[in-house]
Amino acid sequence: MNRQDLQTIIYAEKAKEQNNKYKHKLCVCCGAGCISSGSEEVLKKLQEEVVTRGLEAEVEVIATGCMGPCNQGPLIKFLPEYTIYQKVDCSNIKEIVQRQLIEKKPIEDLLLFADSRTKPFIDAREDPYYKKQMKIALKNCGHINPERIEDYLVHDGYHALDKVLFQMSPEEVIAEIKQSRMRGRGGAGYPTGLKWETVYKYVSPQKYVICNGDEGDPGAFMDRSVLEGNPHRVLEGMTIAAYAVGATKGFAYIRGEYPLAIKRFELAIKQAKKLGVLGNNILGTEFSFDVEVRIGAGAFVCGEETALIASIEGKRGTPRPRPPFPAESGLWGKPTLINNVETFAGISPIINNGGEWYSDIGTPKSAGTKVFALAGKINYSGLIEVPMGTTLREIVFDIGGGIQGGGEFKAAQTGGPSGGCIPAEYLDVKMDYESLTSLGSIMGSGGLIVMDQSSDMVDVARYFMEFCMDESCGKCVPCRVGTKMMHDLLKKICEEKGTRIDLERLEELAVYVRECSLCGLGASAPNPLLSTLRHFRHEYENRITE
Amino acid sequence: MPKISVTIDDKKLDVDVGKTILEICKESGIEILTMCHLKGLTDVGACRLCLVEIEGINKLLSACTTKIAANMIIRTKTEKIKRYQRITSELFFAERNHVCSVCVANGKCDLQKLGYKTEMDHIRYPYLFPECNVDTSHPWYVLDHNRCIMCTRCVRACGEVEGAHNWNVMNRGYQVRVISDFDTPWGESVTCTSCGKCVHACPTGAIWPKAIVQGQLEKKPEIIAELIEKRKMNL
Amino acid sequence: MSKKKIATIWLGGCSGCHMSLLDIDERILDVAKLADIVKCPIVDGKDLPEVDIVLVEGSVTSDEHLREILHIRKQAKALVALGDCAVTSNITGMRNYFDLKEVFDTAYVNAVSNDKEGSVPDHPELLKLRDKVVPLQEVVKVDFVIPGCPPDADTIFYVLFEFLNDRIPNLSEVKKLRYG
């Protein structure tokens, strides 16, 4: 299929959308969160209800990806009104359809956040939860059917790829990405454009592009939602990257615990190949690029790029020392570009709107938006996307609806087992790479766990240490034995059996493990410990026996 | 061969390009502690003993896997590095059950030597005392997990030099173990050729020949590199 | 200068370290010039008086050992852990991978040499073994350690002689560090 063919399809789909016979679109969230609270049943019942009432000619019912507030699910959304109902039960579907579609009087008690707002918003976009957000990577998530490529095409899907292939040289693409000042969303925040340029510069007959979807931080589910809600966006980002760096083969490494993401991404690959936006001679050009899915088998360390590469190669998933970096010698020793799901999801908007547009969003050093997964003692847990530099207070209180049960905010844990805790006195910290690092935490991939006064910080540190201890690959000594030692010492302190000497040893080990470990897992494993020691040292001191 | 100049421990050296920091140090008589390195095998950077400080790089890099580059200023024996080497040494000993007095390798053990070099007189961390098996199923050799430090020299010697791939690693974290085939007794291995390379590659008393007692153990780890050299000869 | 007081103690060990101590032979006279040996195992049963240096052989394996080492710590200015058992728990620690009951059953009930009535001895006078054997530094502050199984007589003499002359010994420096 060539460019004209694709455009024909897009025009046809757009025309269909414009001359839509449907007056309403009813989106049912079928992200993993809502599915687990029964949204598939809701979807079925809604479809039946629409048919029973003979509304099938004017109401279209579709399954979409994540809408955001996961703990309020199952969620359904009526377009164009943008009215969202929460915690929809099969028993109140009849009433919802009756009131919303027939009587045009929404049931306020069932609207999104009805149980916590004095007056819920009929147009959910007015709600501070959505108002404070800015969706770039998650744009279209929750509006389109992720299992239909046509839905994506209508919303400017593969437009960026078309632009790149027909109007831009690889150098220009890289320049655009560099101008956007985008930084890798996997956690370390390495400038994306610079990484692309490095891979581009290595001359090799074979290069690879890898999408890292081995999201493993406890409480983090950004990548899952993007892959489930808009897989084509990621695929398009990968294809553009491949064009820019000169790769012909790509791998999407998705963790096995995300069956739905895997299913939808594989479907996306199939659809994209059929439409000629992936595979040989994409859109009739010389450029060919193919993507395969590789399923992670549940090792956290395989999120580390060199371990991930080893895993794709069919070896034991253990990291190797860098340098050489994958950009020079990656998959099967070839130059390899490896980016996170969210990074790839941000590529096509940059190409469509220009690097300058993206670089104007966020803070001077951290451009663009960031997806966070809110979890813990927060009222509205789920997925949000905000401009970089949004304060923690805005995220927790304005968007997240504050602490559950009116409790008091104690700390927010960012960056999962590699990150740290931010105490209440830093609630006004701007969420960007540098600010979080200066507080002893990290941006990480975007997990944000909110804790209230009932949280015991020593136990939090112990929990994350246990996680790292279990997930250490066992290759290098500092991580293999150091995390076990630190865990045992933390456990001892938790049980109030620890001494001052134990605390000293703990601190010494933490610095040792951070500096000596082979890969990022070990090097960042002491972060939760060090940051709780920094901000909550008294909680440790109180447990010490002399 | 083109030369580049580097500074190691305040000594200016003109060295060959393309070599690792460890190779250069060995050639120049600068001692670097190693455990997982064995000449002839692929370096994996697992023991972290050969970490060095390089000016301008904000993290410690393993000398065995880092290629030397022009104008590098390298320090191998700073107080920090010595302190970390001692901790590594202590963690090795605390991890499994290293009872030197009953070990066949006593007096000829690289791990003991490491302890002496790092001036480790005692271990400050609690011993983990894991339950470890001893595999005596092979007719000639013994594998004692109590004394294994997971340097994986046996795994690499078996895979890279003998090509048998009998040894591998299973589990993760502190529960990792070297395994024969798919964790079957060594004596029942279908891949082991009983060549004995792993015995010589092993730096401790974890793999040893059955017919000997303490004091009789003679390991020749250098045979791995010698074998590789001899294979290159056109005989 | 008044003479220093030395004592030696035998906890959970095989007394090999004391044998090695005796191997300093005639150099004991050099020690005697500088110090009085006020308590030794077997030869006397008196309570440990306040001493300058105490050499402790063996690990902490029973409640009695724990009580003793805590008392020793109070009485001694310098506590020296003598030998691998005191420093690392060594052979005595090899029962730590098992349950205590398993250890007793293996020794007293299931051993081939036991008769059918074999039972775990249970007399109030017997030591109560602790679940896990630990080296000295896990329960008290240790001032100096002499590893080795047993440590060389030369090493023991070197350490004693340095302490008696108010110097801090350094085993690494004199290449006397040895395990096993």
Side-chain angles (χ1 to χ4, degrees):
Chain A
M1 191 174 282
N2 62 26
R3 195 182 181 192
Q4 273 72 39
D5 299 334
L6 182 73
Q7 254 147 25
T8 316
I9 296 174
I10 295 173
Y11 287 136
E13 282 291 325
K14 282 199 171 158
K16 221 159 83 187
E17 182 90 359
Q18 268 160 16
N19 309 322
N20 204 338
K21 56 179 178 167
Y22 297 120
K23 284 188 197 149
H24 299 276
K25 196 167 178 179
L26 215 175
C27 306
V28 179
C29 179
C30 284
C34 278
I35 287 181
S36 62
S37 51
S39 72
E40 278 174 328
E41 185 73 5
V42 169
L43 174 69
K44 216 175 99 205
K45 281 271 156 59
L46 267 171
Q47 282 164 334
E48 285 169 11
E49 182 65 22
V50 166
V51 173
T52 319
R53 288 177 184 265
L55 293 169
E56 65 264 47
E58 53 181 282
V59 181
E60 184 190 19
V61 184
I62 63 162
T64 70
C66 183
M67 294 180 184
C70 299
N71 68 340
Q72 312 296 111
L75 297 165
I76 62 171
K77 176 164 67 186
F78 287 89
L79 294 177
E81 302 89 344
Y82 223 104
T83 306
I84 300 181
Y85 287 88
Q86 68 173 17
K87 297 175 186 166
V88 177
D89 197 284
C90 288
S91 61
N92 45 32
I93 281 172
K94 258 188 194 345
E95 198 192 352
I96 291 174
V97 172
Q98 170 71 25
R99 291 275 299 272
Q100 178 74 24
L101 293 176
I102 315 282
E103 297 173 20
K104 314 277 181 208
K105 280 186 209 145
I107 314 168
E108 293 215 345
D109 288 354
L110 298 176
L111 290 182
L112 183 63
F113 305 140
D115 36 10
S116 48
R117 301 251 188 265
T118 39
K119 189 167 168 55
F121 294 86
I122 290 166
D123 182 341
R125 283 170 297 186
E126 297 293 314
D127 194 291
Y129 180 85
Y130 285 110
K131 226 175 173 178
K132 285 249 174 183
Q133 293 193 51
M134 179 175 189
K135 302 216 172 186
I136 295 177
L138 292 177
K139 194 164 185 223
N140 302 333
C141 261
H143 302 284
I144 63 167
N145 183 347
E147 298 189 2
R148 277 190 87 232
I149 191 169
E150 294 83 358
D151 273 27
Y152 182 61
L153 290 172
V154 171
H155 292 91
D156 290 335
Y158 292 103
H159 182 268
L161 179 64
D162 182 279
K163 182 176 171 187
V164 161
L165 289 180
F166 293 97
Q167 297 169 33
M168 296 169 89
S169 65
E171 294 85 352
E172 283 168 337
V173 176
I174 290 169
E176 199 72 60
I177 302 296
K178 277 173 93 172
Q179 198 196 8
S180 76
R181 299 187 300 114
M182 186 193 212
R183 295 169 66 170
R185 295 297 192 248
Y190 190 80
T192 306
L194 210 58
K195 203 184 224 178
W196 288 27
E197 191 175 51
T198 317
V199 181
Y200 167 76
K201 279 183 177 162
Y202 281 105
V203 181
S204 169
Q206 176 74 64
K207 292 180 191 178
Y208 295 101
V209 168
I210 297 175
C211 173
N212 185 348
D214 194 55
E215 180 177 54
D217 291 0
F221 44 90
M222 297 74 56
D223 296 353
R224 189 194 74 205
S225 295
V226 174
L227 288 169
E228 285 175 0
N230 201 353
H232 283 287
R233 178 64 94 65
V234 181
L235 199 53
E236 186 180 9
M238 285 179 75
T239 315
I240 293 169
Y243 173 76
V245 303
T248 53
K249 176 88 194 174
F251 290 92
Y253 192 92
I254 307 173
R255 67 184 298 205
E257 290 89 335
Y258 290 172
L260 189 62
I262 294 165
K263 184 188 134 203
R264 289 191 179 155
F265 198 77
E266 279 180 334
L267 187 66
I269 292 173
K270 222 161 111 189
Q271 293 169 342
K273 277 188 182 168
K274 207 169 160 194
L275 282 193
V277 288
L278 190 71
N280 288 332
N281 301 97
I282 294 175
L283 297 179
T285 63
E286 294 284 284
F287 172 62
S288 298
F289 179 63
D290 190 21
V291 176
E292 273 182 56
V293 172
R294 285 286 182 275
I295 300 171
F300 177 68
V301 73
C302 284
E304 198 280 339
E305 55 183 20
T306 58
L308 188 153
I309 286 170
S311 176
I312 293 180
E313 289 173 348
K315 297 177 187 152
R316 184 176 156 86
T318 54
R320 60 156 181 79
R322 301 174 305 179
F325 287 88
E328 180 188 350
S329 171
L331 192 57
W332 290 297
K334 300 288 186 291
T336 303
L337 174 75
I338 175 160
N339 275 140
N340 173 261
V341 168
E342 200 189 323
T343 313
F344 282 126
I347 297 301
S348 61
I350 293 176
I351 298 295
N352 282 331
N353 304 312
E356 208 182 324
W357 162 79
Y358 193 83
S359 103
D360 285 343
I361 305 164
T363 65
K365 282 195 169 171
S366 306
T369 55
K370 178 79 194 90
V371 181
F372 288 100
L374 304 185
K377 294 282 170 63
I378 191 163
N379 272 323
Y380 312 144
S381 60
L383 216 61
I384 62 157
E385 183 171 0
V386 290
M388 290 277 189
T390 305
T391 66
L392 180 59
R393 189 185 298 280
E394 286 172 288
I395 291 177
V396 174
F397 292 94
D398 298 348
I399 299 174
I403 308 301
Q404 277 175 14
E408 198 182 322
F409 175 90
K410 182 173 186 182
Q413 212 279 348
T414 68
S418 316
C421 291
I422 303 167
E425 61 256 44
Y426 295 104
L427 259 174
D428 289 309
V429 64
K430 283 187 187 315
M431 300 290 273
D432 61 31
Y433 291 98
E434 274 72 25
S435 312
L436 290 183
T437 309
S438 74
L439 288 179
S441 186
I442 60 163
M443 173 76 78
S445 54
L448 203 154
I449 301 168
V450 177
M451 289 172 271
D452 67 4
Q453 285 303 330
S454 67
S455 291
D456 165 359
M457 301 317 277
V458 187
D459 195 53
V460 167
R462 189 206 58 78
Y463 166 78
F464 282 112
M465 194 57 77
E466 184 179 10
F467 182 88
C468 291
M469 173 183 86
D470 287 340
E471 294 296 340
S472 163
C473 78
K475 182 173 178 175
C476 77
V477 186
C479 178
R480 180 177 75 229
V481 197
T483 53
K484 167 77 177 155
M485 289 287 174
M486 286 192 285
H487 172 263
D488 290 359
L489 286 168
L490 277 167
K491 197 166 161 234
K492 202 171 159 191
I493 293 175
C494 276
E495 290 164 357
E496 306 198 350
K497 289 178 190 155
T499 62
R500 195 151 293 281
I501 293 168
D502 288 328
L503 190 57
E504 274 169 29
R505 294 212 171 121
L506 193 58
E507 288 190 83
E508 184 187 42
L509 269 176
V511 177
Y512 161 80
V513 173
R514 188 177 65 188
E515 291 210 24
C516 294
S517 290
L518 195 159
C519 80
L521 192 159
S524 60
N527 281 355
L529 162 64
L530 287 167
S531 88
T532 48
L533 263 174
R534 175 172 160 186
H535 299 299
F536 300 94
R537 196 180 183 90
H538 56 278
E539 295 199 16
Y540 286 83
E541 302 273 349
N542 292 345
R543 304 286 182 85
I544 296 293
T545 55
E546 294 302 331
Chain B
M1 199 181 248
K3 297 267 182 184
I4 49 171
S5 62
V6 294
T7 310
I8 306 179
D9 292 341
D10 300 322
K11 236 168 45 182
K12 280 213 185 308
L13 300 165
D14 284 324
V15 300
D16 299 332
V17 292
K19 290 192 172 166
T20 63
I21 296 175
L22 181 65
E23 284 171 316
I24 299 295
C25 287
K26 286 204 160 174
E27 287 168 12
S28 318
I30 295 163
E31 193 191 20
I32 294 213
L33 300 182
T34 59
M35 215 67 207
C36 65
H37 165 81
L38 180 59
K39 199 177 170 201
L41 302 179
T42 310
D43 283 309
V44 290
C47 72
R48 315 308 284 164
L49 283 164
C50 69
L51 290 179
V52 293
E53 288 182 33
I54 304 173
E55 246 175 52
I57 294 176
N58 65 358
K59 60 176 191 176
L60 305 173
L61 292 179
S62 46
C64 65
T65 59
T66 311
K67 289 259 185 331
I68 201 129
N71 305 320
M72 265 186 179
I73 300 172
I74 300 163
R75 289 194 182 82
T76 71
K77 289 177 189 64
T78 61
E79 281 311 309
K80 183 161 89 175
I81 285 176
K82 282 193 204 159
R83 194 168 68 240
Y84 289 164
Q85 284 172 336
R86 166 159 177 166
I87 297 179
T88 302
S89 175
E90 287 175 64
L91 293 183
F92 268 136
F93 274 91
E95 183 185 11
R96 299 214 183 158
N97 311 306
H98 297 280
V99 185
C100 294
S101 49
V102 297
C103 178
V104 69
N106 190 8
K108 305 214 168 136
C109 169
D110 286 356
L111 187 61
Q112 281 182 323
K113 284 179 205 153
L114 173 71
Y116 304 151
K117 282 185 178 155
T118 56
E119 304 187 2
M120 182 195 85
D121 54 2
H122 72 291
I123 289 116
R124 293 166 298 160
Y125 309 104
Y127 289 81
L128 298 183
F129 292 119
E131 205 176 328
C132 293
N133 291 331
V134 182
D135 184 346
T136 57
S137 60
H138 192 281
W140 304 339
Y141 310 123
V142 179
L143 166 64
D144 185 347
H145 289 289
N146 289 293
R147 302 162 184 172
C148 174
I149 57 162
M150 294 308 300
C151 66
T152 68
R153 276 158 52 159
C154 56
V155 179
R156 284 172 284 150
C158 187
E160 294 173 12
V161 187
E162 178 64 6
H165 297 277
N166 170 60
W167 295 123
N168 216 319
V169 176
M170 75 165 184
N171 293 347
R172 57 193 188 200
Y174 65 99
Q175 287 161 322
V176 285
R177 294 287 184 275
V178 164
I179 50 166
S180 166
D181 282 351
F182 289 107
D183 195 20
T184 45
W186 189 2
E188 291 166 27
S189 166
V190 292
T191 53
C192 176
T193 59
S194 302
C195 71
K197 289 186 186 64
C198 52
V199 182
H200 289 291
C202 174
T204 70
I207 307 182
W208 48 285
K210 270 184 178 171
I212 59 153
V213 295
Q214 200 177 72
Q216 291 181 316
L217 186 70
E218 283 298 338
K219 289 199 178 185
K220 299 192 192 77
E222 62 281 0
I223 64 156
I224 302 290
E226 283 169 21
L227 263 174
I228 294 169
E229 283 307 308
K230 279 177 187 160
R231 282 179 188 172
K232 284 185 199 156
M233 286 181 196
N234 202 0
L235 294 173
Chain C
M1 195 177 81
S2 65
K3 272 181 150 184
K4 289 194 164 60
K5 284 183 191 157
I6 307 179
T8 75
I9 303 286
W10 179 18
L11 299 181
C14 69
S15 94
C17 299
H18 272 87
M19 299 293 171
S20 203
L21 172 66
L22 293 180
D23 283 343
I24 68 172
D25 298 335
E26 75 284 356
R27 283 173 292 184
I28 193 114
L29 299 174
D30 297 332
V31 174
K33 274 182 211 157
L34 297 166
D36 290 327
I37 301 172
V38 297
K39 181 178 159 72
C40 270
I42 304 178
V43 292
D44 59 47
K46 66 173 174 291
D47 199 33
L48 179 70
E50 282 191 10
V51 291
D52 295 292
I53 303 160
V54 61
L55 302 181
V56 183
E57 172 192 342
S59 52
V60 178
T61 69
S62 65
D63 290 345
E64 172 63 16
H65 286 159
L66 182 63
R67 196 192 59 76
E68 213 174 328
I69 192 71
L70 292 173
H71 178 63
I72 292 165
R73 182 65 270 186
K74 277 191 198 125
Q75 297 295 86
K77 281 190 193 133
L79 195 160
V80 178
L82 178 66
D84 274 351
C85 291
V87 181
T88 73
S89 79
N90 198 22
I91 296 176
T92 54
M94 289 175 81
R95 75 162 160 89
N96 283 358
Y97 341 131
F98 308 104
D99 262 2
L100 191 55
K101 187 178 178 312
E102 217 180 316
V103 176
F104 273 122
D105 286 350
T106 307
Y108 294 104
V109 183
N110 302 325
V112 183
S113 54
N114 284 341
D115 55 22
K116 274 181 189 155
E117 287 80 46
S119 64
V120 179
D122 177 29
H123 190 276
E125 289 290 303
L126 289 172
L127 295 179
K128 282 268 176 294
L129 291 194
R130 292 169 66 79
D131 277 351
K132 299 286 171 206
V133 177
V134 291
L136 303 187
Q137 76 264 6
E138 285 199 28
V139 283
V140 291
K141 183 177 174 289
V142 174
D143 300 298
F144 196 80
V145 296
I146 315 176
C149 183
D152 245 24
D154 287 354
T155 311
I156 300 174
F157 177 73
Y158 160 74
V159 172
L160 262 183
F161 200 71
E162 293 299 290
F163 270 124
L164 292 177
N165 285 294
D166 294 319
R167 291 188 296 262
I168 306 288
N170 185 331
L171 293 178
S172 294
E173 209 173 271
V174 295
K175 306 247 176 295
K176 286 189 189 298
L177 191 58
R178 193 170 62 88
Y179 329 127

